[in-house]
Amino acid sequence: MHRSEITIDLAAVRRNVHVLLDALGGSRLWAVVKANAYGHGASDVAGAALGGGASALCVATVPEALALRRDFPAARIIVMGPALNREVGQARDARIELVVSSNDEIPPGVRVHVKLDTGMGRWGVSELMSPALEVVGLMSHLATADTDAAYAEWQIERFRAATAPYTHLERHIANSAAALRYPSAAFDAARCGIALYGLSPFGTDPAEDGLRPVLRWSSHVAQSKLLRAGQSTGYGRSFVAERDTWIGIVPVGYADGFRRDLSGTTVRVGGDERRVVGTISMDALAVELEGQVATGTPVTLIGSGVLAEQHARVAGTITYELVCGIDSSPARARRTVVDA
Ligand SMILES: *Cc1c(COP(=O)(O)O)cnc(C)c1O
C-alpha cells in the first residue's frame, strides 16, 4: 500500500475549460500551467486543456516552457515571467513567446507581449510606447479580481484606454476570477489557472461556479489507538485527550504537502468527517475518531466533498499555495491520471 494516492481527473479539466470558455463569451482561453500546473502535472493538464478548447499554454519560466515544448510541438507557449538573457535564444529556437516589462528589452526574432502595470505594482511598464514589430500582444495583470471589484474594474478600464490605439494586437488581462466575474475583462484572451483545476478563485465552494476539482488526495489509517484521558499525540503534546479517545495515524505529513498549519481541519475517514488533531509531523498526522477503525480504512484528504478551500481557510492561505506544495513524486505517493 502506498503512503498516499493522488488522482488527477482530466475529464474535470475539460469540464472546467468548458465553464471558462462559456463565461468568456468568445474570447480565447489560455491555460496557465506554471509550477507543474499548480502541482497537478503540467503535461497531463496541458494536454487535456488543449484538447478541451484552450488555445495556448502559459508558464512562468523558460525552462517550464522548454519542457512543455517537447510534449506539444505545435502549441503556442507563452512565458509570463522574465526571461534570463541566456534563455532568450532558447526561447526563439523553440518558438516560445515571451513577456517583456520594459520598452527597450525587446529581443529580435521572438514574439513578445508587452506587460503594462495598470495597478498590480509589480512587473510591467507604466507607459506604453509605440510597440515594435515583434510585439504580438499587450497584457496586464489584476491585483484584486477576487477581492475588490472597484479596483479590478479601474485596472480593466485603464488597460482598455492605454491599449485602445493597438486593437490589432492581442490584448489580455483576465485571470480566473476576472474570467468568471467581469465580462468586460475578456478582451482577446484570458489567462486562467486556478479555475482550470476546479478550485475557486474566490475561496468558496467551486461548485458555485460550476467548477469540478481535478485533484483527489487520499490515504488510510495506518494505525488506530486508544488515548486514555490525559494522554497526548504528537510533538509538543498540543492535543491531550480529555477523555478516552480513539485516534488514527495517517502516513501523510508536511513533507507530503499536508502543512503543519492544517491542524484542526477536517478530512473524511471512511466517509465520516473527522478532525485532524495535534501537531502535524513531517510524515504523519493524527485524526480524532469516534471509535476504533480498521487499519487500512480510507482517509480522504482532498476530494469527495473535502474541499481544498476549507483547508486553505484553516491554514490562513490560498488553495494555490496548498496544491503547489503537494508532493506527488513516486517516493512519496502514487499518482494516477484518469479520464472519466
Ligand atoms: C498565475 C497567473 C495567472 C493565472 O491566475 P489564476 O488566478 O490562477 O487564474 C494569470 N496571469 C498571470 C500573469 C499569472 O502570473
Side-chain angles (χ1 to χ4, degrees):
M1 197 180 262
H2 300 267
R3 302 175 68 251
S4 75
E5 314 248 346
I6 291 164
T7 309
I8 301 297
D9 179 357
L10 300 184
V13 173
R14 284 196 304 273
R15 151 93 197 164
N16 299 329
V17 165
H18 180 80
V19 167
L20 286 164
L21 283 172
D22 243 19
L24 286 168
S27 308
R28 289 183 286 278
L29 171 66
W30 294 351
V32 177
V33 292
K34 62 192 177 193
N36 195 29
Y38 297 31
H40 290 65
S43 200
D44 295 322
V45 171
L50 291 169
S55 40
L57 305 173
C58 300
V59 290
T61 69
V62 171
E64 286 178 333
L66 294 170
L68 280 173
R69 175 56 79 218
R70 284 192 284 277
D71 291 337
F72 303 97
R76 269 187 87 179
I77 304 178
I78 300 151
V79 175
M80 300 184 297
L84 305 177
N85 283 337
R86 61 178 163 78
E87 293 173 336
V88 171
Q90 297 175 308
R92 184 189 303 114
D93 295 345
R95 293 163 289 111
I96 286 162
E97 300 172 33
L98 298 178
V99 167
V100 299
S101 292
S102 114
N103 286 303
D104 47 37
E105 57 164 312
I106 294 175
V110 187
R111 286 157 61 91
V112 301
H113 301 251
V114 175
K115 187 159 193 176
L116 268 84
D117 185 358
T118 56
M120 179 73 167
R122 208 177 55 178
W123 309 112
V125 297
S126 309
E127 198 140 355
L128 202 56
M129 305 296 204
S130 189
L133 210 57
E134 282 85 358
V135 175
V136 297
L138 299 175
M139 68 182 281
S140 191
H141 195 34
L142 297 168
T144 66
D146 54 336
T147 51
D148 181 344
Y151 192 79
E153 277 161 6
W154 177 76
Q155 276 198 268
I156 293 164
E157 290 321 310
R158 274 192 77 184
F159 182 68
R160 186 182 312 285
T163 60
Y166 311 110
T167 51
H168 60 290
L169 301 177
E170 276 181 306
R171 298 188 294 168
H172 46 106
I173 187 169
N175 54 8
S176 297
L180 293 168
R181 287 290 185 277
Y182 308 118
S184 65
F187 291 92
D188 299 304
R191 310 179 304 268
C192 297
I194 200 77
L196 207 58
Y197 308 105
L199 298 169
S200 168
F202 314 105
T204 54
D205 186 341
E208 288 169 16
D209 286 289
L211 301 170
R212 192 183 299 165
V214 168
L215 181 144
R216 193 189 147 75
W217 192 16
S218 59
S219 182
H220 57 274
V221 173
Q223 188 170 12
S224 135
K225 68 170 57 175
L226 182 63
L227 295 183
R228 295 295 183 187
Q231 291 184 326
S232 60
T233 179
Y235 289 113
R237 306 195 69 220
S238 63
F239 177 80
V240 179
E242 287 175 9
R243 64 193 83 81
D244 290 0
T245 305
W246 281 96
I247 60 164
I249 309 300
V250 181
V252 170
Y254 60 80
D256 302 280
F258 205 95
R259 305 155 51 115
R260 272 178 101 247
D261 47 14
L262 284 175
S263 184
T265 194
T266 51
V267 296
R268 274 177 194 276
V269 179
D272 301 316
E273 273 196 21
R274 294 289 179 255
R275 199 160 60 98
V276 174
V277 294
T279 303
I280 293 162
S281 333
M282 192 180 287
D283 309 298
L285 60 85
V287 287
E288 184 178 19
L289 303 173
E290 293 201 343
Q292 188 171 17
V293 307
T295 299
T297 300
V299 176
T300 305
L301 302 169
I302 294 179
S304 307
V306 181
L307 296 179
E309 287 79 2
Q310 165 219 316
H311 291 331
R313 261 193 307 283
V314 170
T317 184
I318 51 177
T319 55
Y320 300 70
E321 196 192 6
L322 274 188
V323 290
C324 277
I326 298 174
D327 185 351
S328 58
S329 66
R332 304 291 306 188
R334 182 170 76 168
R335 180 177 176 278
T336 313
V337 178
V338 298
D339 194 348

